[in-house]
Each structure stands twice: as structure tokens, then as C-alpha cells.
Amino acid sequence: MGKNQNLMERLKNWGNTITNRKHVGYLFIFPALLDLFIFVAIPLVAAFYIALTDLDIFLQSPKFIGLSNFTQSLQDERVWNAFKNTAVYVGVNVPLQLGLALILAFLLSKPTRFNKLCRTVFYVPVLCSFTAIAILFQLLLNSTVGYIPYMISWFTGSVDSLLSSPKWAMPVVIAISVWKNFGRSLIIYVAGILDIPQTYFEASAIDGASRSQQFFRITIPNLLPTISFTLLTTIISSFQVFDAVYVTTGGGPLFKTETVVQYIYLRGFSDPYDLGYASAVCVELFTVIAVITLFFKGYLDRRIEKNY
């Protein structure tokens, strides 16, 4: 009887500890932490280790070779080309996507029926599969049956396949990506703008401020934390671009749209199935993303502190 009573008391104390307000939060974040540990931390550590080995996709007898994969990758022209293409994609896609989303969010922030309809329409592509969107645009841009090349031919007199053009393939891929993804930032910006006290806008309107002055003097300064979040997440996702290129152009023509993640995939999961080399390029991409993200985060944090 005494043992059972002691056991019941221990269970009761354990239950009180679990339901304590100081500990309940850990229960809610535990699934996310477990997911982060299993699917992010462990693969990341494994990638660093595999990058130092000569390992193929069949995982047979890995051989430790030190920094040889990194040395080889620095001499690989396709690696440099992939980083250049990725930099172009990020440098154009991020400003276009966030700038368009910010302007439209400001114009559509008022809760009218028309504005709500526009927000919904702009957000629909975010929910769609990129494969389906790529097939749609391949038909629209097809030189034989595509309507867009046909319209362009009215002005140029010739019909060209834009996705097969070394000059236009990357701009078209960027345009498709902006069209598909800017709706996510738009909704986030609208939420941030609606959180700004309306008295700021009313007082500025009484003082004679124009819409553009309200945008630059009220909206942007108060939206800096939201802009910081969307900028960092968009930069990270843009550096990891894969499906937008793989489905539309496959990295062509002449490797003009081949990105780092696509080259990693081709090197590791197709002939020569070199996981060690692919992991080395992964580590290099991780380093570039980390450095750029930390730079922008530090800069934006200083701006936010100065503003507040």
C-alpha cells in the first residue's frame, strides 16, 4: 500500500511539473524541435562529414579524402557557372518579388471587397504546384502553339521559343518565379500594414501628406520587422531554387539557367553519383547563404533599433 501511495504521489508531482506554466511551452515546441533535429541538424552534420569522403550513392566503403572535394569544386567551371546563375536569380528575383508585393500590399491594404478579391487572386499561384505552372507556361511560351511568342511576333516579325533562348531563358524563369511566389509576401505585408495604427495615416492625411509620403514615411518604417523577415526567408529560398529551373528549362540552354542546387542534384543523384563532391558543394552553398543572411540580418536589426 505504501509503495502504491508513493508511486501515485510521484505521478502526481510529475503531472504537476508537466502542467506547470513554465514547462507547458516546451511541450508545444517539442514536436518542432524534434522535427528540426531529425530533418535538419542530423542531415547537416552528415553533409559536412560526407563532404570529406569519397562516397557514391550506393554508400559502399566511404574513403576519407579530407578537403579534396572542396579543392576540386573550386576548379570546376560548372560550379562557378552555377553560383553565377544563382546570384543573378537571387539578385533579380528578390527585389522584384518583395518590391511588387510591398507596393500592391500598400494599395490593397484597405478591407474592401475588391481588395480582398485581388489578394485572393494574387495568392492562388502560391498554392499551385510548380510543375503544373511550368507546364502551363511551357504551353504559353511554346514557339509553335504558344500565344505569348505569337504576340511578340507582331512586333519582331519572328517567333522564338523564349525558354530555349540563352538570352531570355533566365529572365523568363525569374518572371515565372516572381509571378508564382510574390503572393506569399503580399499577404504577410498586408497583415503587417493592418497592424499599423490607422491614427498615423489619419493624422498625416490631415497634415496634407500624400499617399507616396505615407508609404515612405509611415508604412515602410513601421513595417521594417516584417520586411526583414520576408527578405531573409526569400533570400534563403531563392538561393535554394531548384524546381523553377528543373521543370522549365532543365538548366539549359547551354547551362545558362543551371543553379547550384540543380548541379548538386545532378552530381549526386545521376552519373557519376558522387555524393561526397555534391555534399562539398552543399557546404559551400550553406556557407554563402549563412554569410549573406547574417549580413542582412545585422544590417536590418540595426535599422530597426534606430527606427524604434
Side-chain angles (χ1 to χ4, degrees):
M1 186 70 179
K3 292 182 179 180
N4 292 335
Q5 187 175 1
N6 290 334
L7 178 62
M8 292 297 295
E9 289 180 357
R10 290 179 182 178
L11 291 174
K12 183 178 180 181
N13 292 333
W14 180 79
N16 291 334
T17 302
I18 293 297
T19 56
N20 190 300
R21 289 186 177 182
K22 296 181 179 180
H23 301 94
V24 168
Y26 293 107
L27 287 177
F28 284 102
I29 67 173
F30 177 74
L33 291 176
L34 183 63
D35 177 77
L36 189 67
F37 178 75
I38 294 175
F39 296 105
V40 177
I42 294 178
L44 185 62
V45 173
F48 275 91
Y49 171 75
I50 295 173
L52 303 175
T53 65
D54 181 13
L55 180 66
D56 60 21
I57 197 173
F58 305 105
L59 308 179
Q60 295 179 355
S61 60
K63 180 183 177 182
F64 184 81
I65 58 174
L67 300 176
S68 297
N69 286 325
F70 294 97
T71 304
Q72 182 183 352
S73 68
L74 293 176
Q75 300 171 354
D76 189 342
E77 292 184 0
R78 284 187 66 179
V79 171
W80 288 104
N81 177 70
F83 270 103
K84 183 190 73 173
N85 293 335
T86 304
V88 171
Y89 178 88
V90 174
V92 179
N93 175 67
V94 174
L96 280 179
Q97 187 181 146
L98 298 186
L100 180 63
L102 183 59
I103 294 172
L104 287 177
F106 179 72
L107 296 176
L108 302 175
S109 59
K110 292 184 179 180
T112 64
R113 290 185 178 181
F114 176 76
N115 289 350
K116 291 179 180 179
L117 175 63
C118 289
R119 294 179 212 163
T120 304
V121 171
F122 289 140
Y123 190 74
V124 167
V126 179
L127 305 176
C128 298
S129 165
F130 207 103
T131 302
I133 290 176
I135 294 173
L136 171 64
F137 275 97
Q138 283 175 342
L139 292 174
L140 291 174
L141 297 170
N142 187 277
S143 59
T144 304
V145 299
Y147 190 68
I148 295 177
Y150 174 69
M151 292 180 63
I152 295 175
S153 68
W154 293 354
F155 305 96
T156 62
S158 61
V159 180
D160 297 322
S161 179
L162 297 178
L163 290 175
S164 301
S165 169
K167 179 181 179 180
W168 293 105
M170 180 60 81
V172 170
V173 170
I174 292 173
I176 296 172
S177 299
V178 171
W179 177 82
K180 182 188 184 303
N181 296 316
F182 86 93
R184 179 186 292 107
S185 301
L186 169 67
I187 296 301
I188 296 174
Y189 286 151
V190 168
I193 292 173
L194 293 177
D195 195 48
I196 300 174
Q198 291 300 307
T199 53
Y200 293 175
F201 298 100
E202 294 170 358
S204 64
I206 294 174
D207 291 337
S210 62
R211 290 277 286 173
S212 61
Q213 290 175 326
Q214 290 178 339
F215 179 73
F216 288 105
R217 300 295 180 88
I218 299 176
T219 303
I220 291 182
N222 286 278
L223 210 61
L224 274 180
T226 306
I227 293 174
S228 175
F229 170 77
T230 55
L231 176 63
L232 296 178
T233 54
T234 305
I235 288 176
I236 293 172
S237 62
S238 296
F239 266 106
Q240 297 174 341
V241 60
F242 173 75
D243 53 355
V245 174
Y246 186 78
V247 179
T248 53
T249 66
L254 304 175
F255 306 113
K256 291 295 184 179
T257 60
E258 184 176 67
T259 59
V260 178
V261 175
Q262 184 183 3
Y263 182 62
I264 291 170
Y265 171 78
L266 293 175
R267 191 63 186 249
F269 296 95
S270 60
D271 191 36
Y273 303 105
D274 193 346
L275 284 183
Y277 187 84
S279 297
V281 182
C282 280
V283 172
E284 293 169 354
L285 178 62
F286 170 80
T287 304
V288 171
I289 293 175
V291 171
I292 293 176
T293 301
L294 291 174
F295 170 78
F296 277 104
K297 186 177 187 305
Y299 172 76
L300 291 169
D301 286 347
R302 289 193 297 270
R303 287 294 303 271
I304 292 171
E305 288 182 6
K306 183 179 179 180
N307 188 59
Y308 287 94

